[in-house]
Amino acid sequence: MEPFKLCLPNGAIISGRYNFPPRDSKSAQIRPLIVCIPGGSYDSRYFDVQGAQSICNLSSCLKIPVIAIDRPGYGASTLAPDVENAPTYAQGQGIYLNSVVFPALWQTFADRAEASGIVLLSHSIGAMIATIAAGSYTGLEDYPLAGIITSGIGSELVEGHRQGMLHLLDEPAEFVQFEATPKDAIMLQLPHMNLAPLEMRQFTEQLNQPVPQGELRDINTTWLGYWKDYSSNVKVPLLYGLGEFDGLWNCSAETLAVYKAAFPKSPTITCEIIPMAPHCMELSFQSQAWYLKCFAFAIECIVTKSIRDIAGPNESGLAHFME
């Protein structure tokens, strides 16, 4: 994927990487622009790790454009400014992405990507922030949101892990740096389970970035107290996946049912347990299977949105779409 740095209207910077494969000239395919939002301790390289786990492979094969961003505070992206009426770190960042970052990405890249709308693909803390962004989206912003994908997040934290995180948060530092080996044991279940390539450990050390303490504090202490304020306002389709062996979130039919029920305004919801997958399923042996689901969902979202936009609220729009 190609790196980019974009100057935002407020003078801040958002960085990341993209892959815009050329459209097939023989196809009338309507294309989504998938915007990937990584989790805590990861930048945009999370979605472009060397080898079979990169999203770039399927992006090029399926000719679907993809952008992976460095969230504010990661890579060359400047920290998000203070946002009025945003009492937590994640709320400030989610509102900022919705009101400033996503419109700027759309205005800059939509024509080049030949896309008709944005689908968010988010992981872990990135999924927390994407949910806030999607729950804040009114349709009046300068970008068309067509769907949201979340993974590596849930409705119930693993209590032992939460206690360990709270201990780390006792430190006064603005950023937290995880040790790579114990982090791999939690995020990938390596080396004690065969859920990801062993060589992934050399990449995870490269990917291991300092985490702003604010987002760690939020996901472990406040998020589950207010997340439904945002999830209940998401009005676009949702695809949700949680690894069977996620080390951070309890994974069961019951926790998936709670998660699904928290999105009452979403027109379609697909919630799945991804078998034999760890927390970072995008780095695991299940990465390509998960990404295939994400691409199929994104295409479905953009086709549905395009037909409805042409037809209006009271028509199916099929005849218009086929002309």
Side-chain angles (χ1 to χ4, degrees):
M1 296 175 75
E2 297 292 327
F4 74 88
K5 260 196 245 186
L6 178 63
C7 186
L8 301 172
N10 64 349
I13 298 291
I14 194 77
S15 61
R17 54 194 59 222
Y18 67 87
N19 185 57
F20 296 162
R23 184 196 294 271
D24 187 342
S25 60
K26 298 179 181 179
S27 171
Q29 179 188 23
I30 300 172
R31 303 207 302 184
L33 173 58
I34 296 178
V35 175
C36 303
I37 307 169
S41 79
Y42 296 106
D43 59 20
S44 60
R45 293 174 297 170
Y46 178 84
F47 295 97
D48 192 31
V49 69
Q50 183 176 337
Q53 278 65 36
S54 175
I55 197 172
C56 187
N57 301 317
L58 285 173
S59 168
S60 296
C61 179
L62 299 174
K63 300 189 181 303
I64 301 297
V66 171
I67 293 175
I69 66 168
D70 300 320
R71 287 193 292 105
Y74 290 87
S77 295
T78 46
L79 287 166
D82 291 335
V83 175
E84 189 177 356
N85 298 322
T88 70
Y89 185 99
Q91 285 170 288
Q93 192 166 127
I95 293 168
Y96 176 63
L97 290 183
N98 177 59
S99 61
V100 177
V101 175
F102 295 155
L105 291 176
W106 182 251
Q107 296 303 314
T108 303
F109 293 119
D111 289 344
R112 186 173 170 189
E114 299 181 275
S116 300
I118 283 177
V119 175
L120 305 177
L121 194 170
S122 58
H123 175 257
S124 194
I125 285 176
M128 169 177 68
I129 290 163
T131 302
I132 293 168
S136 303
Y137 181 77
T138 65
L140 300 176
E141 295 83 354
D142 290 331
Y143 76 98
L145 182 63
I148 179 173
I149 302 164
T150 60
S151 72
I153 198 167
S155 59
E156 183 179 284
L157 281 161
V158 174
E159 185 58 27
H161 167 75
R162 179 175 176 273
Q163 292 302 320
M165 286 294 102
L166 293 178
H167 177 70
L168 282 176
L169 294 173
D170 288 338
E171 300 296 327
E174 184 179 357
F175 289 84
V176 174
Q177 180 72 61
F178 293 123
E179 294 182 23
T181 299
K183 180 183 173 187
D184 286 347
I186 294 171
M187 302 293 195
L188 290 167
Q189 303 296 330
L190 283 177
H192 55 285
M193 292 188 73
N194 186 32
L195 302 180
L198 284 177
E199 57 266 26
M200 188 57 64
R201 298 180 76 179
Q202 64 180 301
F203 299 124
T204 55
E205 188 162 348
Q206 298 170 15
L207 293 175
N208 190 21
Q209 302 296 305
V211 190
Q213 193 184 89
E215 65 186 48
L216 276 184
R217 186 174 300 281
D218 205 354
I219 195 73
N220 286 287
T221 64
T222 61
W223 169 242
L224 290 179
Y226 71 81
W227 71 292
K228 293 179 183 178
D229 295 341
Y230 291 96
S231 65
S232 63
N233 282 316
V234 173
K235 300 179 181 69
V236 295
L238 167 71
L239 171 63
Y240 169 62
L242 186 62
E244 180 183 8
F245 295 101
D246 192 296
L248 306 183
W249 299 91
N250 285 321
C251 180
S252 67
E254 292 74 21
T255 58
L256 257 67
V258 171
Y259 193 91
K260 181 177 181 178
F263 293 82
K265 295 180 183 176
S266 180
T268 60
I269 301 175
T270 302
C271 293
E272 297 185 27
I273 294 174
I274 308 302
M276 303 306 295
H279 178 73
C280 290
M281 68 175 74
E282 294 82 359
L283 303 180
S284 77
F285 288 123
Q286 287 288 31
S287 64
Q288 294 298 283
W290 171 242
Y291 281 144
L292 275 170
K293 293 176 189 286
C294 294
F295 279 107
F297 171 79
I299 294 170
E300 182 180 278
C301 287
I302 208 66
V303 169
T304 301
K305 183 181 187 305
S306 297
I307 293 175
R308 286 176 175 163
D309 287 348
I310 291 170
N314 298 318
E315 300 180 50
S316 70
L318 185 59
H320 298 278
F321 183 72
M322 296 296 291
E323 289 176 356

